[in-house]
Amino acid sequence: MSVEAVDRVAAVGSSRPSTPLQTSWFEFLLDGSLLEEHLQKSNPDPLPVQLIIQFLEQASKPSVNEQNQVQPPADNRRNRTLKLLALKVAAHMKWDLDALEKGLTIPVLNMLLNELLCVSKVPPGVKHVDLDLSTLPPTTAMAVIIYNRWAIRTIVLSSFPEKQAKPGPHQINMLNIVQQEKEMTENILTVLKEQATDSISVLEGALRLKKDFYVHTLRTLDLLAADAAANGETESSTAGLRIAADELHCQVHYDLGGIFFQQGFTDQPVFEKARDHFRQTKELLRKLDSTVHVHLDEKRLAGYWNACKALTGDCESCDPQITPYEQINSLIRAKNYQAVIEVFIKDNTSRSLPNHFRQSVLREFLYKVQQGEVGLDDLCHKLCVCNAVRDALEGEVLSVRFQQQLFKSSRRMVDFILEVCTRSLEKDRPSETSRRHMASFMKTLCESLEDLTLVFLVSSHKLFMELLKEEERKVLVEQMRKRSATINLSAKPLPSFYDIPASASVNIGQLEQQLILSLDPRRIRQILIELHGMAERPFWRVNSKWEVPSDYINVILGIKDNLTKDLVYILMAKGLHCIAVKDFVHARHLFSACLELVTEFSPKLRQVMLNEMLLLEVRAHESMAAEGSKERPPPDLVSRVRGYLEMRIHDLPLRQVVGEECVAFMLNWRENDYLTLQVPPSLVMNNPYIKLGQLLASTCKELPGPKESRRTAKELWDVVVQICSVSIQHKRNNDGRVGLIKHRESSMGILHRSKFITFIKKIREPLVLTTLISLFVRLHSIVRDDIVNEVTAEHLSIWPSTLPNIQAVDVEAVAVTVKELVSYALTLNPNNQSWLITQADIYFVTNQYSAALNLYLQAGAVCSDFFTKAVPPDIYTDQVLKRMIKCCSMMNCHTQVAVLCQFLREVDYMTAFKALQEQNSHDSMDSCYDYIWDVTILEYLTHIHHKRGEIEKRQIAMKAIGQSELNTSNPEEVLQLAAQKRKKRFLQAMAKLYF
């Protein structure tokens, strides 16, 4: 080795800590003592189960003879030693089937246990059921018992649902190995199920043996390797690891109980056998001092035991040892339903029953109701209430069923809910968590009940008064009033709050509650006059939810008269709240009263109120438009919006949102001429929203236009790029190099990006939104620089194709914005084909193939009346179709890939044939053959199935190819008609699958 090589090795060795190399399987062949040393380690690498796999894999490798023919594994010393090593590892694990089943596949464990039968001298060719275990050597009998225990356990485990492993890379060899292992497993399971009765008989025979059992250890297996000693000591009664009869019987009873329980679903009386075996298991567990050799899941045993008793009816409610499960099952059988409810209420305090069990009891009764059993509706409602209170106490989300039940509640049901709530809290000092959760539940109850008399019933209950603070009660009362806004407020819907004489003896708290609830300006003024006569304090602070914009707060609080100050503040706050909940009628009354009041003493506040009333009218009209109204705004409103945009009053507090919504209003109603031609230049320079509005209006007016008319599009591009850019500073690092530092918070544009997004989400006009989507898609493509996976949109050609300072653009901000923008646009019009394709492309380039395919299909469906007509070729372009093909391919739906390959202008046979070669397809394969009209593809399918020996699938493909309308001699019109018919049916089937 050269000096340089030595230096390199030394450098590598010193640069990272050394880790011990994993011991290879062949080293255990070379050193007989190495295995025991390895297994004694605290963390052996490889693990014992991995060693078993390696030993058996090497021992079962086929050999190749001189004629290059594959031969079965040779029966030589090397392979026998490897098998013995595998058995020794299992012996070290004390033949714990739980551990072996978790670490080994069924074929490997089958090979291991068959080898155990072989070395234990079990007579070959004789059925295990025909053997007399009492006459066999102890280790031989134990080998038979272990094998048959594994057999019935495997049958039980195979019946449990199992999550399929995700397929790895599409390597033919790997797929073949997986397929072979799957077939081997299925074959083994078939044999085990055929022999299940024999295995059960063998194990029942083992239960009749009252002597201790012995199983092979490392020592006895070593002796087996030495032929001279094997015939003596290994067959004696004391050779091997001793397992007490009770321990083995306990384990066998548990395994037999499991197989009988599984068989009980097809043969009901067998559940009694399962119950008896599980009873014996429980009794033996209590009897045993040590359970070293008993490996069972005691929780699962308890579950089995409870299920068996419920299914066989073997429990009495008077038994003092009865569990809550058994008690409930007994009460249900006795039809003592009131007692069931009592158990559920008590369990809300003790919480001994799991939620899933309580829900299953409710589902059982709901099923009986569906089957027509009468008289159980009230019981279902009460159990649903009990479960809801339990969920509430644990901070869980209330069930949909309970929430639906609240919509049609009666006084009797509300009384029962309050009773359950009261009894479900711990009597002696309930915990703070329980009190908090119950208080939240009571608030939810008030908010969900529609009948105000029932709400008052809850809010006047003792528990409600104890759990909720006074401030929380006030807020809740306000919410009640909000929900009852459609009721005539002067009709006094809440007698307890309104039937109060206006005199000095009235409690201030009651008046404040009235003040919170009232939306009548005159009543508000009267209440404030009474309150100011009783106490001199700022009543605008009564409700913390009353808020006025910070722009106005100083002007309002500068009013000297306290009563007027409270009245102006409260009228404005209530009016703004009504606008927020779209109660525009009450908002107009409140604002009109406030305008009338401030006109008397403050020109500044008068203009403020006029501005807010303009915003109110703009939002009211926009709200109507969002709900589907096509009515244009009255000329007076448009004129007032223009007046506001051009208003110049010094020292007047202006809310930015008013100007923002006025510009959005003009864009939404296509007042483009005003924004592009009539708006004063000074406004464009000083108001960023007006500048954005002007650029958007100008760009939309020029669409589609000649190349020279794209000057405004370039201006809009520059403004948006600046908004999405961040300031960059150069900083010298410690090593002297200059690095870039981006400051994401310091936007370089006329608006911060968050405000820009807020503004965009006030726009409804489709052309404006399409223009913005187009701009951001182009910008996104440039900063991502991924030509293969570009997102598509309309009008991309009007934007620049390069950026001079691409480093300054915040790539993440652009990606987030384009996603937000397209998602928002689709909430306004989910049937816009262009937006759907753009959203699908976004999902496609981010590898969300299922979502992308869903949207590509939606885009086709909306423009073809759900595929009853042909999809226009400008929607399903070749690029879109190829992306749909890739989506199907990435989801392993290979037959769908082949069908879609026909949709291309030139059929992609290479992709179709490659897809049809895949055997691991997650679509319905041959059910898709009816959608194939290309004879070449159908002929290839026939060939593939013939080659694989798949006769049924070949017949289906032959049937498809034999249809007369696909005859290549037909006129072109007939062939086109056949293709169109299959296209429509296939796309409709895909839509049903993915929508």
Side-chain angles (χ1 to χ4, degrees):
M1 183 183 291
S2 67
V3 176
E4 292 82 356
V6 172
D7 290 340
R8 280 199 302 272
V9 171
V12 170
S14 61
S15 62
R16 57 187 176 210
S18 60
T19 55
L21 295 174
Q22 188 183 68
T23 310
S24 297
W25 62 269
F26 61 82
E27 295 182 55
F28 297 101
L29 280 174
L30 303 175
D31 185 350
S33 63
L34 183 58
L35 182 62
E36 285 192 54
E37 293 175 12
H38 180 80
L39 294 175
Q40 295 302 326
K41 294 178 182 177
S42 56
N43 292 305
D45 184 22
L47 294 170
V49 287
Q50 293 172 338
L51 277 178
I52 292 175
I53 294 169
Q54 291 177 17
F55 291 148
L56 292 180
E57 181 183 351
Q58 295 299 324
S60 59
K61 273 188 176 179
S63 58
V64 179
N65 62 14
E66 295 176 355
Q67 287 77 35
N68 209 25
Q69 296 173 328
V70 177
Q71 301 291 322
D75 183 19
N76 52 31
R77 181 180 175 187
R78 169 188 174 276
N79 288 347
R80 287 196 298 273
T81 305
L82 284 169
K83 291 175 184 178
L84 192 66
L85 287 172
L87 291 173
K88 289 172 78 172
V89 176
H92 170 77
M93 298 172 69
K94 298 182 180 175
W95 305 100
D96 178 0
L97 287 180
D98 270 349
L100 291 169
E101 286 163 347
K102 286 175 185 173
L104 304 177
T105 62
I106 289 175
V108 172
L109 194 44
N110 179 62
M111 190 189 306
L112 178 74
L113 295 181
N114 273 298
E115 192 59 31
L116 173 66
L117 294 174
C118 182
V119 300
S120 299
K121 307 234 171 48
V122 175
V126 180
K127 286 186 176 182
H128 291 181
V129 71
D130 296 332
L131 296 172
D132 184 356
L133 296 181
S134 61
T135 62
L136 295 175
T139 51
T140 306
M142 193 61 184
V144 173
I145 292 170
I146 290 173
Y147 178 85
N148 287 281
R149 274 188 56 218
W150 169 75
I152 64 171
R153 287 164 64 99
T154 303
I155 294 169
V156 173
L157 287 173
S158 69
S159 67
F160 295 160
E162 184 179 356
K163 184 177 179 182
Q164 293 294 323
K166 291 185 178 179
H170 294 182
Q171 298 174 359
I172 301 300
N173 291 341
M174 183 60 69
L175 289 174
N176 287 340
I177 291 169
V178 172
Q179 186 64 28
Q180 286 173 11
E181 185 171 304
K182 184 179 177 183
E183 289 174 1
M184 287 173 62
T185 301
E186 289 173 354
N187 293 336
I188 292 168
L189 282 172
T190 302
V191 172
L192 294 180
K193 287 174 183 177
E194 289 173 356
Q195 298 174 354
T197 306
D198 289 352
S199 293
I200 291 170
S201 299
V202 169
L203 294 177
E204 287 175 337
L207 292 175
R208 292 191 287 272
L209 299 178
K210 304 303 179 185
K211 62 182 181 181
D212 291 342
F213 296 83
Y214 292 84
V215 66
H216 278 300
T217 61
L218 273 76
R219 180 171 177 272
T220 58
L221 290 169
D222 273 334
L223 291 171
L224 283 173
D227 294 336
N231 293 330
E233 188 175 348
T234 56
E235 295 182 2
S236 72
S237 60
T238 58
L241 176 66
R242 175 182 168 276
I243 298 176
D246 284 346
E247 284 187 282
L248 182 71
H249 289 172
C250 179
Q251 188 73 65
V252 171
H253 276 302
Y254 178 74
D255 294 336
L256 285 171
I259 189 72
F260 284 133
F261 187 86
Q262 187 214 30
Q263 293 176 351
F265 292 101
T266 54
D267 185 6
Q268 195 75 11
V270 178
F271 280 126
E272 294 184 5
K273 288 186 179 180
R275 178 201 60 198
D276 294 339
H277 281 292
F278 288 131
R279 179 187 285 120
Q280 293 282 350
T281 306
K282 288 168 67 69
E283 289 174 0
L284 286 169
L285 274 177
R286 284 194 290 267
K287 175 183 173 183
L288 288 170
D289 296 327
S290 170
T291 56
V292 175
H293 303 296
V294 178
H295 304 284
L296 54 83
D297 185 342
E298 293 195 38
K299 287 185 179 178
R300 176 164 285 185
L301 172 62
Y304 273 137
W305 176 241
N306 290 327
C308 286
K309 291 208 293 183
L311 290 164
T312 58
D314 182 28
C315 55
E316 296 296 331
S317 57
C318 58
D319 184 358
Q321 298 296 323
I322 193 170
T323 66
Y325 300 97
E326 297 160 356
Q327 182 186 13
I328 287 174
N329 286 317
S330 175
L331 292 172
I332 291 173
R333 278 193 303 277
K335 296 192 175 181
N336 189 354
Y337 299 139
Q338 185 56 42
V340 174
I341 294 169
E342 286 296 318
V343 172
F344 269 53
I345 294 174
K346 289 176 183 176
D347 183 65
N348 282 351
T349 306
S350 63
R351 302 182 196 176
S352 57
L353 292 173
N355 270 332
H356 62 81
F357 175 75
R358 292 169 61 112
Q359 294 294 343
S360 70
V361 173
L362 174 59
R363 283 195 296 271
E364 184 178 339
F365 283 113
L366 289 170
Y367 176 75
K368 289 181 179 180
V369 171
Q370 289 175 353
Q371 296 302 308
E373 195 167 331
V374 295
L376 296 179
D377 287 327
D378 188 55
L379 172 64
C380 290
H381 291 327
K382 288 185 176 181
L383 289 178
C384 184
V385 168
C386 294
N387 286 345
V389 174
R390 167 70 176 271
D391 289 339
L393 286 169
E394 294 184 343
E396 300 291 336
V397 178
L398 299 179
S399 69
V400 174
R401 181 174 297 279
F402 176 72
Q403 293 176 6
Q404 291 172 338
Q405 197 169 300
L406 286 180
F407 290 139
K408 45 187 178 182
S409 290
S410 61
R411 179 177 182 120
R412 180 166 165 271
M413 183 54 65
V414 172
D415 283 336
F416 180 73
I417 293 173
L418 293 172
E419 178 194 346
V420 175
C421 290
T422 305
R423 293 177 59 189
S424 297
L425 278 179
E426 299 92 338
K427 291 181 180 178
D428 301 326
R429 293 186 181 178
S431 68
E432 187 59 35
T433 303
S434 296
R435 287 174 61 87
R436 188 172 68 253
H437 287 160
M438 185 60 77
S440 176
F441 177 71
M442 301 292 275
K443 285 163 67 176
T444 302
L445 205 56
C446 288
E447 291 165 357
S448 302
L449 290 168
E450 293 189 345
D451 188 339
L452 290 178
T453 57
L454 296 179
V455 175
F456 181 68
L457 182 66
V458 176
S459 63
S460 60
H461 194 269
K462 179 184 175 184
L463 186 63
F464 181 89
M465 305 297 283
E466 287 177 358
L467 294 177
L468 272 77
K469 299 175 183 176
E470 184 179 353
E471 183 64 27
E472 291 178 305
R473 296 201 296 272
K474 286 180 183 178
V475 172
L476 199 56
V477 168
E478 180 194 6
Q479 292 173 345
M480 290 154 50
R481 169 58 58 202
K482 183 200 311 177
R483 288 193 298 109
S484 62
T486 55
I487 301 172
N488 182 4
L489 295 169
S490 62
K492 304 178 183 179
L494 292 177
S496 63
F497 293 137
Y498 279 78
D499 292 345
I500 304 172
S503 65
S505 62
V506 175
N507 182 280
I508 290 180
Q510 290 174 310
L511 278 175
E512 287 178 343
Q513 286 181 334
Q514 291 183 58
L515 184 63
I516 290 169
L517 290 172
S518 181
L519 292 174
D520 181 0
R522 297 191 179 203
R523 180 61 183 151
I524 291 170
R525 184 180 184 187
Q526 180 187 355
I527 295 170
L528 281 172
I529 290 171
E530 293 179 19
L531 285 170
H532 275 273
M534 299 167 68
E536 194 60 41
R537 67 169 189 255
F539 288 100
W540 60 269
R541 293 179 176 173
V542 164
N543 188 350
S544 61
K545 301 291 184 183
W546 287 339
E547 293 179 353
V548 299
S550 57
D551 307 85
Y552 305 152
I553 192 75
N554 291 332
V555 181
I556 295 173
L557 296 184
I559 299 171
K560 294 180 180 178
D561 181 69
N562 289 331
L563 174 60
T564 306
K565 183 195 303 179
D566 285 345
L567 189 54
V568 171
Y569 188 99
I570 292 170
L571 289 174
M572 181 181 282
K574 282 179 174 282
L576 290 169
H577 176 72
C578 286
I579 293 173
V581 297
K582 297 186 178 180
D583 181 5
F584 299 113
V585 175
H586 283 110
R588 286 190 185 96
H589 291 323
L590 291 161
F591 277 4
S592 297
C594 191
L595 175 64
E596 183 182 350
L597 176 64
V598 299
T599 300
E600 299 175 0
F601 65 89
S602 175
K604 186 183 292 186
L605 278 174
R606 178 181 180 276
Q607 189 59 53
V608 164
M609 287 312 304
L610 287 172
N611 294 345
E612 289 299 321
M613 291 182 76
L614 171 63
L615 180 59
L616 160 62
E617 297 303 331
V618 166
R619 285 186 172 172
H621 203 85
E622 289 293 290
S623 178
M624 289 167 54
E627 291 169 2
S629 172
K630 301 296 183 183
E631 183 183 352
R632 283 192 62 81
D636 173 62
L637 180 56
V638 177
S639 178
R640 287 169 61 193
V641 169
R642 290 183 179 186
Y644 177 83
L645 292 175
E646 297 173 14
M647 182 176 60
R648 283 291 171 269
I649 300 177
H650 295 290
D651 198 28
L652 178 68
L654 293 175
R655 276 218 291 163
Q656 186 172 281
V657 69
V658 183
E660 180 184 346
E661 298 214 11
C662 283
V663 173
F665 175 82
M666 299 296 273
L667 284 170
N668 287 337
W669 293 105
R670 300 176 189 169
E671 294 290 330
N672 293 340
D673 287 340
Y674 172 76
L675 288 171
T676 55
L677 302 173
Q678 299 172 27
V679 66
S682 58
L683 290 181
V684 177
M685 298 298 295
N686 298 322
N687 190 322
Y689 295 106
I690 293 179
K691 182 174 179 63
L692 271 173
Q694 185 189 62
L695 291 172
L696 282 166
S698 300
T699 305
C700 290
K701 278 181 70 176
E702 293 175 358
L703 286 176
K707 191 170 182 180
E708 55 270 14
S709 70
R710 297 177 186 171
R711 181 177 55 82
T712 53
K714 176 65 167 62
E715 289 181 27
L716 177 61
W717 170 270
D718 291 339
V719 167
V720 173
V721 168
Q722 285 295 310
I723 289 172
C724 294
S725 297
V726 290
S727 61
I728 295 180
Q729 291 183 2
H730 295 271
K731 182 179 179 181
R732 191 170 297 278
N733 299 328
N734 294 331
D735 58 1
R737 290 180 296 178
V738 175
L740 298 179
I741 300 176
K742 292 188 177 183
H743 296 274
R744 293 186 181 276
E745 299 301 321
S746 54
S747 174
M748 297 169 61
I750 59 175
L751 277 176
H752 282 282
R753 191 181 70 88
S754 58
K755 292 181 178 178
F756 176 63
I757 293 292
T758 304
F759 172 67
I760 289 175
K761 290 185 177 180
K762 290 181 169 63
I763 296 172
R764 291 180 296 96
E765 168 55 29
L767 185 57
V768 178
L769 288 171
T770 298
T771 303
L772 283 166
I773 289 171
S774 173
L775 188 156
F776 272 99
V777 166
R778 168 65 81 187
L779 184 57
H780 186 244
S781 297
I782 293 173
V783 296
R784 282 185 78 248
D785 192 22
D786 185 354
I787 298 173
V788 177
N789 289 321
E790 284 192 346
V791 179
T792 57
E794 292 183 281
H795 312 304
L796 288 177
S797 61
I798 69 172
W799 311 111
S801 57
T802 57
L803 276 175
N805 189 12
I806 197 169
Q807 286 183 328
V809 178
D810 189 338
V811 179
E812 185 181 345
V814 173
V816 169
T817 304
V818 74
K819 289 176 186 175
E820 283 189 49
L821 181 53
V822 178
S823 298
Y824 166 70
L826 285 172
T827 62
L828 299 177
N829 181 8
N831 294 330
N832 187 300
Q833 302 145 22
S834 170
W835 298 346
L836 285 168
I837 293 291
T838 301
Q839 180 75 302
D841 284 345
I842 291 171
Y843 282 131
F844 180 83
V845 301
T846 53
N847 302 329
Q848 300 177 70
Y849 298 111
S850 178
L853 186 57
N854 176 294
L855 286 161
Y856 286 133
L857 289 167
Q858 281 189 51
V862 299
C863 65
S864 62
D865 291 340
F866 199 76
F867 302 117
T868 55
K869 304 172 186 173
V871 180
D874 60 327
I875 299 299
Y876 276 1
T877 61
D878 268 10
Q879 179 178 338
V880 169
L881 290 169
K882 286 177 180 177
R883 290 188 170 188
M884 292 171 71
I885 288 168
K886 183 173 180 182
C887 289
C888 292
S889 177
M890 296 306 292
M891 293 187 291
N892 286 342
C893 297
H894 301 297
T895 319
Q896 294 171 10
V897 169
V899 177
L900 283 170
C901 284
Q902 304 172 107
F903 284 58
L904 297 166
R905 284 172 178 78
E906 292 186 9
V907 180
D908 187 351
Y909 290 113
M910 184 176 293
T911 303
F913 292 167
K914 186 178 178 182
L916 293 173
Q917 288 173 5
E918 297 284 351
Q919 295 189 31
N920 183 26
S921 189
H922 291 176
D923 51 23
S924 45
M925 294 186 71
D926 45 9
S927 67
C928 294
Y929 294 175
D930 281 343
Y931 307 128
I932 300 176
W933 64 88
D934 188 284
V935 176
T936 306
I937 293 177
L938 286 170
E939 287 174 344
Y940 184 77
L941 264 175
T942 308
H943 166 70
I944 282 288
H945 290 316
H946 175 72
K947 188 176 178 182
R948 294 176 185 163
E950 297 167 342
I951 298 172
E952 290 183 11
K953 291 181 180 179
R954 180 175 178 273
Q955 290 298 327
I956 295 170
M958 291 289 290
K959 183 180 177 183
I961 204 173
Q963 296 175 86
S964 58
E965 59 187 353
L966 297 184
N967 192 320
T968 52
S969 302
N970 288 337
E972 185 63 25
E973 295 80 6
V974 174
L975 294 174
Q976 285 295 325
L977 192 63
Q980 287 301 324
K981 184 175 74 173
R982 284 162 175 76
K983 279 185 181 181
K984 292 173 187 176
R985 284 171 43 221
F986 174 69
L987 290 172
Q988 286 172 347
M990 290 283 281
K992 289 177 183 176
L993 184 63
Y994 288 100
F995 286 0

